[in-house]
Amino acid sequence: MTSALQAIANLLPQLSGGERAQLLQWVAQDLGDLAPGVEVHPLVCGGEPCIVRTRIPVWVLEQARRQGLNDGEILRCYPSLRAEDLVNAWAYVRRHRSEVEGQINENEAL
């Protein structure tokens, strides 16, 4: 267990029921922003959101979709992807549309 998790585990018994409920709300809110299957790592693809297990940025997949490729065609172009990866990518795009738009625009300008 990491030291941060251990610290939380040690503090948890000291919290009142209301404080625990507040903590749970914060955690649930934080988890709501996560996109399963999409990761951001500063040393992978310049820190752009990518599909886990790959170095395929989400913006690349969204750009392909905008250019008319359907999911089947995208999966054929990227054999390491699974249908589940595209579901996760599209969910990420819905939640972070302006971020993805910016990444597409930046890369089109190059």
Side-chain angles (χ1 to χ4, degrees):
M1 187 179 313
T2 67
S3 61
L5 284 176
Q6 187 60 52
I8 292 169
N10 291 339
L11 287 174
L12 197 57
Q14 300 171 30
L15 299 177
S16 70
E19 291 169 328
R20 288 180 186 190
Q22 180 63 55
L23 178 62
L24 185 57
Q25 285 179 334
W26 290 338
V27 170
Q29 183 178 10
D30 185 59
L31 288 173
D33 289 337
L34 294 180
V38 175
E39 64 184 359
V40 178
H41 190 283
L43 300 177
V44 178
C45 295
E48 293 181 343
C50 293
I51 302 300
V52 295
R53 311 173 332 279
T54 76
R55 291 180 175 261
I56 303 170
V58 171
W59 72 264
V60 169
L61 300 172
E62 175 62 11
Q63 187 176 41
R65 185 166 66 161
R66 291 179 184 188
Q67 292 173 344
L69 274 66
N70 63 38
D71 286 7
E73 292 166 326
I74 293 171
L75 291 172
R76 278 190 293 282
C77 290
Y78 297 94
S80 63
L81 291 181
R82 303 176 301 211
E84 176 185 345
D85 295 326
L86 294 183
V87 170
N88 292 330
W90 308 150
Y92 186 89
V93 170
R94 280 192 304 277
R95 279 187 241 122
H96 303 276
R97 187 160 307 278
S98 62
E99 174 190 345
V100 174
E101 292 274 347
Q103 291 164 347
I104 289 171
N105 292 337
E106 286 174 22
N107 285 281
E108 284 180 347
L110 296 177

